[in-house]
Coordinates of all heavy atoms in Angstrom, one line a residue:
M934 N -106.7 -188.7 154.3 CA -105.6 -187.9 153.8 C -105.1 -188.4 152.5 O -104.8 -189.6 152.3 CB -104.4 -188.0 154.8 CG -103.3 -187.1 154.5 SD -102.1 -186.9 155.8 CE -100.8 -187.9 155.1
T935 N -105.1 -187.5 151.5 CA -104.6 -187.9 150.2 C -103.2 -187.4 150.0 O -102.8 -186.4 150.6 CB -105.6 -187.4 149.1 OG1 -105.6 -186.0 149.2 CG2 -107.0 -188.0 149.3
T936 N -102.6 -188.1 149.1 CA -101.2 -187.7 148.7 C -101.0 -187.7 147.2 O -101.6 -188.5 146.6 CB -100.2 -188.6 149.5 OG1 -98.9 -188.2 149.0 CG2 -100.4 -190.0 149.2
S937 N -100.1 -186.9 146.8 CA -99.9 -186.9 145.3 C -98.8 -187.8 144.9 O -98.5 -188.0 143.7 CB -99.5 -185.4 144.9 OG -98.3 -185.0 145.5
S938 N -98.1 -188.5 145.9 CA -97.0 -189.4 145.6 C -97.5 -190.8 145.3 O -98.6 -191.2 145.8 CB -96.1 -189.5 146.8 OG -95.1 -190.4 146.6
D939 N -96.8 -191.5 144.4 CA -97.1 -192.9 144.1 C -96.5 -193.8 145.2 O -96.9 -195.0 145.2 CB -96.5 -193.2 142.8 CG -97.2 -192.6 141.6 OD1 -98.4 -192.2 141.8 OD2 -96.6 -192.4 140.5
T940 N -95.7 -193.3 146.1 CA -95.0 -194.1 147.1 C -95.1 -193.4 148.5 O -94.1 -193.1 149.1 CB -93.6 -194.3 146.7 OG1 -92.9 -193.0 146.6 CG2 -93.4 -195.2 145.5
P941 N -96.3 -193.2 149.0 CA -96.5 -192.5 150.2 C -95.8 -193.2 151.4 O -95.3 -192.5 152.3 CB -98.0 -192.4 150.4 CG -98.6 -193.5 149.6 CD -97.6 -193.7 148.4
V942 N -95.8 -194.5 151.5 CA -95.2 -195.2 152.6 C -93.7 -195.0 152.6 O -93.1 -194.6 153.6 CB -95.6 -196.7 152.6 CG1 -94.8 -197.4 153.7 CG2 -97.1 -196.9 152.8
L943 N -93.1 -195.2 151.4 CA -91.6 -195.0 151.3 C -91.3 -193.5 151.5 O -90.2 -193.3 152.2 CB -91.1 -195.4 149.9 CG -91.2 -196.9 149.6 CD1 -90.7 -197.2 148.2 CD2 -90.3 -197.7 150.6
D944 N -92.1 -192.6 151.1 CA -91.8 -191.2 151.3 C -91.9 -190.9 152.8 O -91.0 -190.1 153.3 CB -92.9 -190.3 150.5 CG -92.7 -190.5 149.0 OD1 -91.7 -191.0 148.5 OD2 -93.7 -190.0 148.3
T945 N -92.8 -191.4 153.5 CA -92.9 -191.2 154.9 C -91.7 -191.8 155.7 O -91.2 -191.1 156.5 CB -94.3 -191.8 155.5 OG1 -95.3 -191.2 154.8 CG2 -94.4 -191.6 157.0
L946 N -91.3 -193.0 155.3 CA -90.2 -193.6 156.0 C -88.9 -192.8 155.7 O -88.1 -192.6 156.6 CB -90.0 -195.0 155.5 CG -91.1 -196.0 155.9 CD1 -90.9 -197.4 155.3 CD2 -91.1 -196.1 157.4
A947 N -88.8 -192.3 154.5 CA -87.6 -191.5 154.1 C -87.6 -190.2 154.9 O -86.6 -189.8 155.4 CB -87.6 -191.2 152.6
A948 N -88.7 -189.6 155.1 CA -88.8 -188.3 155.8 C -88.5 -188.6 157.3 O -87.8 -187.8 157.9 CB -90.2 -187.7 155.7
M949 N -89.0 -189.7 157.8 CA -88.8 -190.0 159.2 C -87.3 -190.2 159.5 O -86.7 -189.8 160.4 CB -89.5 -191.2 159.7 CG -91.0 -191.0 159.8 SD -92.0 -192.6 160.0 CE -91.0 -193.5 161.2
T950 N -86.6 -190.9 158.5 CA -85.2 -191.2 158.6 C -84.4 -189.9 158.5 O -83.5 -189.7 159.4 CB -84.8 -192.2 157.5 OG1 -85.5 -193.4 157.7 CG2 -83.3 -192.5 157.6
L951 N -84.7 -189.1 157.6 CA -84.0 -187.8 157.5 C -84.2 -187.0 158.7 O -83.2 -186.4 159.2 CB -84.5 -187.1 156.2 CG -83.8 -185.7 155.9 CD1 -82.3 -185.9 155.7 CD2 -84.4 -185.1 154.7
D952 N -85.4 -186.9 159.2 CA -85.6 -186.1 160.4 C -84.8 -186.7 161.6 O -84.2 -185.9 162.4 CB -87.1 -186.1 160.8 CG -87.4 -185.2 161.9 OD1 -86.9 -184.0 161.9 OD2 -88.3 -185.5 162.8
S953 N -84.8 -188.0 161.7 CA -84.0 -188.6 162.8 C -82.5 -188.3 162.7 O -81.8 -188.0 163.7 CB -84.2 -190.1 162.7 OG -83.3 -190.8 163.6
I954 N -82.0 -188.4 161.5 CA -80.6 -188.1 161.2 C -80.2 -186.6 161.5 O -79.2 -186.3 162.2 CB -80.2 -188.4 159.8 CG1 -80.2 -190.0 159.6 CG2 -78.8 -187.9 159.4 CD1 -80.1 -190.4 158.1
E955 N -81.1 -185.7 161.1 CA -80.9 -184.3 161.4 C -80.9 -184.0 162.9 O -80.2 -183.1 163.3 CB -81.9 -183.5 160.6 CG -81.7 -183.5 159.1 CD -82.8 -182.7 158.4 OE1 -83.9 -182.4 159.0 OE2 -82.6 -182.6 157.2
R956 N -81.7 -184.7 163.7 CA -81.8 -184.5 165.1 C -80.8 -185.2 165.9 O -80.8 -185.0 167.1 CB -83.2 -184.8 165.6 CG -84.3 -183.9 164.9 CD -85.7 -184.4 165.3 NE -86.7 -183.6 164.6 CZ -87.4 -182.6 165.2 NH1 -87.2 -182.3 166.5 NH2 -88.3 -182.0 164.6
C957 N -80.0 -186.1 165.3 CA -79.1 -187.0 166.1 C -77.7 -186.4 166.0 O -77.2 -185.9 165.0 CB -79.1 -188.4 165.4 SG -78.1 -189.5 166.3
G958 N -77.1 -186.4 167.2 CA -75.7 -185.9 167.3 C -74.6 -187.0 167.1 O -73.5 -186.7 167.2
L959 N -75.1 -188.2 166.8 CA -74.1 -189.3 166.6 C -73.3 -189.1 165.3 O -73.9 -188.6 164.3 CB -74.7 -190.7 166.6 CG -75.3 -191.1 167.9 CD1 -76.1 -192.4 167.7 CD2 -74.3 -191.3 169.0
S960 N -72.1 -189.6 165.2 CA -71.4 -189.6 164.0 C -72.1 -190.6 163.0 O -72.8 -191.5 163.5 CB -69.9 -190.0 164.2 OG -69.9 -191.3 164.8
P961 N -71.9 -190.5 161.7 CA -72.5 -191.4 160.8 C -72.3 -192.9 161.1 O -73.2 -193.7 161.0 CB -72.0 -191.0 159.4 CG -71.6 -189.6 159.6 CD -71.1 -189.5 161.0
D962 N -71.0 -193.3 161.4 CA -70.8 -194.7 161.7 C -71.5 -195.1 163.0 O -72.1 -196.2 163.0 CB -69.3 -194.9 161.8 CG -68.5 -194.1 162.8 OD1 -69.0 -193.1 163.2 OD2 -67.4 -194.6 163.2
M963 N -71.5 -194.3 164.0 CA -72.2 -194.7 165.3 C -73.7 -194.8 165.1 O -74.4 -195.6 165.6 CB -71.8 -193.7 166.4 CG -70.4 -193.9 166.9 SD -70.0 -195.5 167.6 CE -69.1 -196.2 166.3
L964 N -74.2 -193.9 164.2 CA -75.7 -193.9 164.0 C -76.1 -195.2 163.3 O -77.0 -195.9 163.7 CB -76.0 -192.7 163.0 CG -77.5 -192.7 162.6 CD1 -78.4 -192.4 163.7 CD2 -77.7 -191.6 161.5
I965 N -75.3 -195.6 162.3 CA -75.6 -196.9 161.6 C -75.4 -198.1 162.5 O -76.3 -199.0 162.5 CB -74.8 -197.0 160.3 CG1 -75.1 -195.9 159.3 CG2 -75.1 -198.4 159.6 CD1 -76.6 -195.7 159.0
L966 N -74.4 -198.1 163.3 CA -74.2 -199.2 164.2 C -75.3 -199.3 165.3 O -75.8 -200.4 165.6 CB -72.8 -199.1 164.9 CG -71.6 -199.4 164.0 CD1 -70.3 -199.1 164.7 CD2 -71.6 -200.8 163.4
T967 N -75.7 -198.2 165.7 CA -76.9 -198.1 166.7 C -78.1 -198.7 166.0 O -78.9 -199.4 166.6 CB -77.1 -196.7 167.2 OG1 -75.9 -196.2 167.8 CG2 -78.2 -196.6 168.1
R968 N -78.4 -198.2 164.8 CA -79.5 -198.7 164.1 C -79.5 -200.2 163.8 O -80.5 -200.9 163.9 CB -79.7 -198.0 162.7 CG -80.2 -196.6 163.0 CD -80.3 -195.8 161.7 NE -80.9 -194.5 162.0 CZ -81.9 -194.0 161.3 NH1 -82.4 -194.6 160.3 NH2 -82.4 -192.8 161.7
I969 N -78.3 -200.7 163.5 CA -78.1 -202.2 163.3 C -78.5 -202.9 164.6 O -79.2 -203.9 164.6 CB -76.7 -202.5 162.8 CG1 -76.6 -202.0 161.3 CG2 -76.5 -204.0 162.9 CD1 -75.2 -202.1 160.8
A970 N -78.0 -202.4 165.7 CA -78.3 -203.0 167.0 C -79.8 -203.0 167.3 O -80.4 -204.0 167.8 CB -77.5 -202.3 168.1
A971 N -80.4 -201.9 166.9 CA -81.9 -201.8 167.1 C -82.6 -202.8 166.2 O -83.6 -203.5 166.6 CB -82.4 -200.4 166.8
L972 N -82.2 -203.0 165.0 CA -82.8 -203.9 164.1 C -82.6 -205.4 164.6 O -83.6 -206.1 164.5 CB -82.1 -203.8 162.7 CG -82.4 -202.6 161.9 CD1 -81.5 -202.5 160.6 CD2 -83.9 -202.4 161.6
V973 N -81.5 -205.7 165.2 CA -81.3 -207.0 165.7 C -82.3 -207.2 166.9 O -82.9 -208.3 167.0 CB -79.8 -207.2 166.3 CG1 -79.7 -208.5 167.0 CG2 -78.8 -207.1 165.1
S974 N -82.4 -206.2 167.7 CA -83.3 -206.3 168.9 C -84.7 -206.6 168.6 O -85.5 -207.2 169.4 CB -83.2 -205.1 169.8 OG -83.9 -204.0 169.2
I975 N -85.2 -206.2 167.4 CA -86.6 -206.4 167.0 C -86.7 -207.6 166.0 O -87.8 -207.8 165.4 CB -87.3 -205.2 166.5 CG1 -86.6 -204.6 165.2 CG2 -87.3 -204.1 167.5 CD1 -87.4 -203.6 164.4
D976 N -85.6 -208.3 165.7 CA -85.6 -209.3 164.7 C -86.1 -208.9 163.4 O -87.0 -209.5 162.8 CB -86.4 -210.6 165.2 CG -86.1 -211.8 164.5 OD1 -85.0 -211.9 163.9 OD2 -86.9 -212.8 164.4
A977 N -85.6 -207.8 162.9 CA -86.0 -207.1 161.7 C -85.7 -208.1 160.5 O -84.8 -208.9 160.5 CB -85.2 -205.8 161.5
P978 N -86.5 -207.9 159.4 CA -86.3 -208.7 158.2 C -85.1 -208.2 157.4 O -84.6 -207.1 157.6 CB -87.7 -208.5 157.4 CG -88.1 -207.1 157.9 CD -87.7 -207.0 159.3
P979 N -84.7 -209.0 156.4 CA -83.5 -208.7 155.6 C -83.7 -207.3 154.9 O -82.7 -206.6 154.8 CB -83.5 -209.8 154.6 CG -84.0 -211.0 155.3 CD -85.2 -210.4 156.1
V980 N -84.9 -206.9 154.5 CA -85.1 -205.7 153.8 C -84.7 -204.5 154.7 O -84.2 -203.4 154.2 CB -86.5 -205.5 153.2 CG1 -87.5 -205.4 154.3 CG2 -86.6 -204.4 152.2
S981 N -84.9 -204.6 156.0 CA -84.5 -203.5 156.9 C -83.0 -203.3 156.9 O -82.5 -202.2 157.0 CB -85.0 -203.8 158.3 OG -86.4 -203.8 158.3
Y982 N -82.2 -204.4 156.9 CA -80.8 -204.3 156.8 C -80.3 -203.8 155.4 O -79.4 -203.1 155.4 CB -80.1 -205.7 157.1 CG -80.4 -206.2 158.5 CD1 -81.4 -207.1 158.8 CD2 -79.5 -205.7 159.5 CE1 -81.6 -207.5 160.1 CE2 -79.7 -206.1 160.8 CZ -80.8 -207.0 161.1 OH -81.0 -207.4 162.4
L983 N -81.0 -204.2 154.4 CA -80.7 -203.8 153.0 C -80.8 -202.3 153.0 O -79.9 -201.7 152.3 CB -81.7 -204.4 152.0 CG -81.5 -204.1 150.6 CD1 -80.1 -204.6 150.1 CD2 -82.6 -204.7 149.7
A984 N -81.7 -201.7 153.6 CA -81.8 -200.2 153.6 C -80.7 -199.5 154.3 O -80.5 -198.3 154.1 CB -83.1 -199.8 154.3
H985 N -79.9 -200.3 155.0 CA -78.7 -199.6 155.8 C -77.4 -200.0 155.1 O -76.4 -199.5 155.6 CB -78.8 -200.1 157.2 CG -79.9 -199.5 158.0 ND1 -81.2 -199.9 157.9 CD2 -79.9 -198.4 158.8 CE1 -81.9 -199.2 158.7 NE2 -81.2 -198.2 159.2
I986 N -77.4 -200.7 154.0 CA -76.1 -201.1 153.4 C -75.4 -199.9 152.8 O -74.2 -199.6 153.1 CB -76.3 -202.2 152.4 CG1 -76.6 -203.5 153.1 CG2 -75.0 -202.3 151.5 CD1 -77.0 -204.6 152.1
D987 N -76.1 -199.1 152.0 CA -75.5 -197.9 151.4 C -75.0 -196.9 152.5 O -73.9 -196.4 152.4 CB -76.4 -197.2 150.4 CG -75.8 -196.1 149.7 OD1 -74.7 -196.3 149.0 OD2 -76.3 -195.0 149.7
P988 N -75.8 -196.6 153.5 CA -75.3 -195.7 154.5 C -74.1 -196.3 155.3 O -73.3 -195.5 155.7 CB -76.5 -195.5 155.5 CG -77.7 -195.8 154.6 CD -77.3 -196.8 153.6
A989 N -74.1 -197.6 155.5 CA -73.0 -198.2 156.2 C -71.7 -198.1 155.3 O -70.6 -197.8 155.9 CB -73.3 -199.7 156.4
V990 N -71.8 -198.2 154.0 CA -70.7 -198.1 153.1 C -70.2 -196.7 153.2 O -69.0 -196.4 153.3 CB -71.0 -198.5 151.7 CG1 -69.9 -198.1 150.7 CG2 -71.3 -200.1 151.7
K991 N -71.1 -195.7 153.1 CA -70.8 -194.3 153.1 C -70.1 -193.9 154.4 O -69.3 -192.9 154.5 CB -72.0 -193.4 152.8 CG -72.5 -193.5 151.4 CD -73.7 -192.7 151.1 CE -74.1 -192.8 149.6 NZ -75.4 -192.2 149.3
A992 N -70.5 -194.6 155.5 CA -69.9 -194.3 156.8 C -68.6 -195.1 157.1 O -68.0 -195.0 158.1 CB -70.9 -194.6 157.9
N993 N -68.2 -195.8 156.0 CA -66.9 -196.5 156.1 C -66.9 -197.6 157.2 O -65.9 -197.9 157.8 CB -65.7 -195.6 156.3 CG -65.5 -194.7 155.1 OD1 -65.6 -195.1 153.9 ND2 -65.3 -193.4 155.3
L994 N -68.1 -198.2 157.4 CA -68.1 -199.3 158.4 C -67.5 -200.6 157.8 O -67.5 -200.8 156.6 CB -69.6 -199.6 158.7 CG -70.3 -198.5 159.6 CD1 -71.7 -199.0 159.9 CD2 -69.5 -198.3 160.9
T995 N -67.0 -201.4 158.7 CA -66.4 -202.6 158.3 C -67.2 -203.8 158.8 O -68.0 -203.6 159.7 CB -65.0 -202.8 158.8 OG1 -65.1 -202.9 160.2 CG2 -64.1 -201.6 158.4
A996 N -67.0 -204.9 158.1 CA -67.7 -206.1 158.6 C -67.3 -206.4 160.1 O -68.2 -206.9 160.9 CB -67.4 -207.3 157.7
G997 N -66.1 -206.2 160.4 CA -65.7 -206.4 161.8 C -66.4 -205.5 162.8 O -66.7 -206.0 163.9
Q998 N -66.7 -204.3 162.4 CA -67.5 -203.4 163.3 C -68.9 -203.9 163.5 O -69.4 -203.9 164.6 CB -67.5 -202.0 162.8 CG -66.2 -201.3 162.9 CD -66.2 -199.9 162.2 OE1 -66.4 -199.9 161.0 NE2 -65.9 -198.9 162.9
V999 N -69.5 -204.4 162.5 CA -70.8 -205.0 162.6 C -70.8 -206.2 163.4 O -71.7 -206.4 164.3 CB -71.5 -205.2 161.2 CG1 -72.8 -205.9 161.3 CG2 -71.6 -203.9 160.4
Q1000 N -69.8 -207.1 163.2 CA -69.6 -208.3 164.1 C -69.4 -207.9 165.5 O -70.0 -208.5 166.4 CB -68.5 -209.1 163.6 CG -68.7 -209.8 162.3 CD -67.5 -210.5 161.7 OE1 -66.4 -210.3 162.2 NE2 -67.7 -211.4 160.7
D1001 N -68.7 -206.8 165.8 CA -68.5 -206.4 167.2 C -69.8 -206.0 167.8 O -70.0 -206.2 169.0 CB -67.5 -205.2 167.2 CG -66.0 -205.7 167.0 OD1 -65.7 -206.9 167.1 OD2 -65.2 -204.8 166.7
V1002 N -70.6 -205.3 167.0 CA -72.0 -204.9 167.6 C -72.7 -206.2 167.9 O -73.4 -206.3 169.0 CB -72.7 -204.0 166.6 CG1 -74.2 -203.9 167.0 CG2 -72.1 -202.7 166.5
L1003 N -72.7 -207.2 167.0 CA -73.5 -208.4 167.3 C -72.9 -209.1 168.6 O -73.7 -209.6 169.4 CB -73.4 -209.3 166.1 CG -74.0 -208.9 164.8 CD1 -73.9 -209.9 163.7 CD2 -75.5 -208.5 165.0
V1004 N -71.6 -209.1 168.7 CA -71.0 -209.7 169.9 C -71.4 -208.9 171.2 O -71.8 -209.5 172.2 CB -69.5 -209.8 169.8 CG1 -68.8 -210.1 171.1 CG2 -69.1 -210.8 168.7
A1005 N -71.4 -207.6 171.1 CA -71.7 -206.7 172.2 C -73.1 -206.9 172.7 O -73.4 -206.8 173.9 CB -71.4 -205.3 171.9
I1006 N -74.1 -207.0 171.8 CA -75.5 -207.1 172.2 C -76.0 -208.5 172.4 O -77.1 -208.7 172.9 CB -76.4 -206.3 171.2 CG1 -76.4 -207.0 169.8 CG2 -75.9 -204.9 171.1 CD1 -77.4 -206.4 168.8
A1007 N -75.2 -209.5 172.0 CA -75.7 -210.9 172.2 C -76.1 -211.2 173.6 O -77.2 -211.9 173.8 CB -74.6 -211.9 171.8
P1008 N -75.4 -210.8 174.7 CA -75.9 -211.1 176.0 C -77.2 -210.4 176.4 O -78.0 -210.9 177.2 CB -74.8 -210.6 176.9 CG -73.6 -210.4 176.1 CD -74.1 -210.2 174.7
I1009 N -77.6 -209.4 175.7 CA -78.8 -208.6 175.9 C -80.0 -209.2 175.1 O -81.0 -209.5 175.7 CB -78.6 -207.1 175.6 CG1 -77.4 -206.5 176.4 CG2 -79.9 -206.4 175.9 CD1 -77.5 -206.6 177.9
V1010 N -79.7 -209.4 173.8 CA -80.9 -209.8 172.9 C -81.0 -211.3 172.8 O -82.0 -211.8 172.3 CB -80.8 -209.1 171.6 CG1 -80.8 -207.6 171.7 CG2 -79.5 -209.5 170.8
G1011 N -79.9 -212.0 173.0 CA -79.9 -213.5 173.0 C -79.3 -214.0 171.7 O -79.3 -213.4 170.6
T1012 N -79.0 -215.3 171.8 CA -78.3 -216.0 170.7 C -79.3 -216.1 169.5 O -78.8 -215.9 168.3 CB -78.0 -217.4 171.1 OG1 -77.1 -217.3 172.3 CG2 -77.2 -218.2 170.0
A1013 N -80.5 -216.4 169.7 CA -81.5 -216.5 168.6 C -81.6 -215.3 167.7 O -81.6 -215.3 166.5 CB -82.8 -217.0 169.1
R1014 N -81.7 -214.1 168.4 CA -81.8 -212.9 167.7 C -80.5 -212.6 166.9 O -80.5 -212.1 165.8 CB -82.1 -211.7 168.6 CG -83.5 -211.7 169.2 CD -84.5 -211.1 168.2 NE -85.8 -211.4 168.5 CZ -86.7 -210.6 169.1 NH1 -86.3 -209.4 169.5 NH2 -87.9 -210.9 169.4
V1015 N -79.4 -212.8 167.5 CA -78.1 -212.5 166.8 C -77.9 -213.5 165.6 O -77.5 -213.0 164.5 CB -76.9 -212.6 167.8 CG1 -75.6 -212.6 167.1 CG2 -77.0 -211.5 168.9
M1016 N -78.2 -214.7 165.8 CA -78.1 -215.7 164.6 C -79.1 -215.3 163.5 O -78.8 -215.4 162.3 CB -78.3 -217.1 165.1 CG -77.2 -217.6 166.1 SD -75.6 -217.4 165.4 CE -75.6 -218.6 164.1
S1017 N -80.3 -214.9 163.9 CA -81.3 -214.5 162.9 C -80.8 -213.2 162.2 O -80.9 -213.1 160.9 CB -82.6 -214.2 163.6 OG -83.6 -213.7 162.7
A1018 N -80.2 -212.3 162.9 CA -79.7 -211.1 162.3 C -78.6 -211.4 161.4 O -78.5 -210.8 160.3 CB -79.2 -210.1 163.4
A1019 N -77.7 -212.3 161.7 CA -76.6 -212.6 160.9 C -77.1 -213.2 159.6 O -76.6 -212.8 158.5 CB -75.6 -213.6 161.6
A1020 N -78.1 -214.0 159.6 CA -78.7 -214.6 158.4 C -79.3 -213.5 157.6 O -79.2 -213.5 156.3 CB -79.7 -215.7 158.8
H1021 N -80.0 -212.6 158.2 CA -80.7 -211.5 157.5 C -79.7 -210.6 156.9 O -79.9 -210.1 155.7 CB -81.7 -210.8 158.4 CG -82.9 -211.6 158.8 ND1 -83.6 -211.3 160.0 CD2 -83.5 -212.7 158.3 CE1 -84.6 -212.2 160.1 NE2 -84.5 -213.0 159.1
I1022 N -78.7 -210.3 157.6 CA -77.6 -209.4 157.0 C -77.0 -210.1 155.8 O -76.8 -209.4 154.8 CB -76.6 -209.0 158.1 CG1 -77.2 -208.1 159.2 CG2 -75.3 -208.4 157.5 CD1 -76.3 -208.0 160.4
T1023 N -76.7 -211.3 155.9 CA -76.1 -212.1 154.8 C -77.0 -212.1 153.6 O -76.6 -211.9 152.5 CB -75.8 -213.5 155.2 OG1 -74.9 -213.5 156.3 CG2 -75.2 -214.3 154.1
E1024 N -78.3 -212.3 153.8 CA -79.3 -212.3 152.7 C -79.3 -210.9 152.1 O -79.3 -210.7 150.9 CB -80.7 -212.6 153.2 CG -81.7 -212.8 152.2 CD -83.0 -213.3 152.7 OE1 -83.1 -213.9 153.7 OE2 -84.0 -213.0 152.0
A1025 N -79.3 -209.8 152.9 CA -79.4 -208.5 152.4 C -78.1 -208.1 151.6 O -78.2 -207.5 150.5 CB -79.5 -207.5 153.5
L1026 N -77.0 -208.6 152.1 CA -75.7 -208.3 151.3 C -75.7 -209.1 150.0 O -75.3 -208.6 149.0 CB -74.5 -208.7 152.2 CG -74.2 -207.8 153.3 CD1 -73.1 -208.4 154.2 CD2 -73.7 -206.5 152.8
G1027 N -76.2 -210.3 150.0 CA -76.3 -211.1 148.8 C -77.2 -210.4 147.7 O -76.9 -210.3 146.6
F1028 N -78.3 -209.9 148.2 CA -79.2 -209.2 147.3 C -78.5 -207.9 146.7 O -78.6 -207.6 145.5 CB -80.5 -208.8 148.0 CG -81.5 -208.1 147.1 CD1 -82.3 -208.8 146.2 CD2 -81.7 -206.7 147.2 CE1 -83.2 -208.2 145.3 CE2 -82.6 -206.1 146.3 CZ -83.3 -206.8 145.4
A1029 N -77.9 -207.1 147.6 CA -77.2 -205.9 147.2 C -76.1 -206.2 146.2 O -75.9 -205.5 145.2 CB -76.6 -205.2 148.4
I1030 N -75.4 -207.3 146.4 CA -74.3 -207.7 145.5 C -74.9 -208.1 144.1 O -74.4 -207.7 143.1 CB -73.4 -208.8 146.0 CG1 -72.6 -208.3 147.2 CG2 -72.6 -209.5 145.0 CD1 -72.0 -209.4 148.1
A1031 N -76.0 -208.9 144.1 CA -76.6 -209.3 142.9 C -77.1 -208.1 142.1 O -77.0 -208.0 140.9 CB -77.8 -210.2 143.2
V1032 N -77.7 -207.1 142.8 CA -78.2 -205.9 142.1 C -77.0 -205.1 141.5 O -77.1 -204.7 140.4 CB -79.0 -205.0 143.1 CG1 -79.3 -203.6 142.5 CG2 -80.3 -205.7 143.4
A1033 N -75.9 -205.0 142.3 CA -74.8 -204.3 141.8 C -74.2 -205.0 140.6 O -73.8 -204.3 139.6 CB -73.7 -204.1 142.9
E1034 N -74.1 -206.3 140.6 CA -73.6 -207.0 139.5 C -74.5 -206.9 138.2 O -74.0 -206.7 137.1 CB -73.4 -208.5 139.8 CG -72.3 -208.8 140.7 CD -72.2 -210.2 141.2 OE1 -73.1 -211.0 141.0 OE2 -71.1 -210.6 141.7
D1035 N -75.8 -206.9 138.5 CA -76.7 -206.7 137.3 C -76.5 -205.3 136.7 O -76.6 -205.1 135.5 CB -78.1 -206.9 137.8 CG -79.1 -206.9 136.7 OD1 -78.9 -207.6 135.7 OD2 -80.1 -206.2 136.8
E1036 N -76.4 -204.3 137.6 CA -76.2 -202.9 137.1 C -74.9 -202.7 136.3 O -74.9 -201.9 135.4 CB -76.3 -201.9 138.2 CG -77.7 -201.8 138.8 CD -77.7 -200.9 140.1 OE1 -76.6 -200.4 140.5 OE2 -78.8 -200.6 140.5
T1037 N -73.9 -203.5 136.7 CA -72.6 -203.3 136.0 C -72.5 -204.3 134.8 O -71.5 -204.3 134.1 CB -71.4 -203.5 136.9 OG1 -71.5 -204.8 137.5 CG2 -71.4 -202.4 138.0
G1038 N -73.4 -205.2 134.7 CA -73.4 -206.1 133.6 C -72.5 -207.3 133.8 O -72.1 -208.0 132.9
A1039 N -72.0 -207.5 135.0 CA -71.1 -208.6 135.4 C -71.8 -209.9 135.4 O -72.9 -210.1 135.6 CB -70.4 -208.3 136.7

């Protein structure tokens, strides 16, 4: 299968995400919190959390809400996964802040 795009993998992931959002009846904040819980459960890398920062901001999520999700799922996924997720989320946020500062010239 050939594609005319220079970014076929990213295009496919974007299409899958859009399709998922269109088929989901959850509110934007609940959708992102659910996805964060899923990312924790699979010990996702920082880049996976990075992809959810902008949607989380647009859904008006707070750090407290994300922490609540980590607390809620800790008995299910375990301490190691939650601690790994906290580190990955912190790394993703640091990267997002660095990019934002670079864009604004700060």
Side-chain angles (χ1 to χ4, degrees):
M934 183 169 109
T935 60
T936 175
S937 61
S938 172
D939 290 335
T940 57
V942 174
L943 291 176
D944 294 347
T945 300
L946 293 174
M949 289 170 43
T950 299
L951 182 58
D952 190 43
S953 170
I954 291 169
E955 289 174 351
R956 295 173 184 259
C957 182
L959 293 175
S960 63
D962 58 338
M963 289 297 104
L964 175 68
I965 298 304
L966 290 173
T967 301
R968 286 178 176 228
I969 290 170
L972 292 173
V973 174
S974 75
I975 63 166
D976 198 21
V980 70
S981 295
Y982 293 97
L983 182 61
H985 289 82
I986 291 174
D987 186 57
V990 169
K991 288 179 179 171
N993 296 314
L994 289 182
T995 66
Q998 289 172 301
V999 174
Q1000 289 174 346
D1001 286 344
V1002 166
L1003 297 179
V1004 169
I1006 65 173
I1009 306 300
V1010 301
T1012 304
R1014 289 275 166 101
V1015 170
M1016 294 306 293
S1017 177
H1021 291 157
I1022 291 167
T1023 300
E1024 186 176 337
L1026 287 171
F1028 182 78
I1030 290 168
V1032 168
E1034 288 175 346
D1035 188 49
E1036 288 177 351
T1037 61

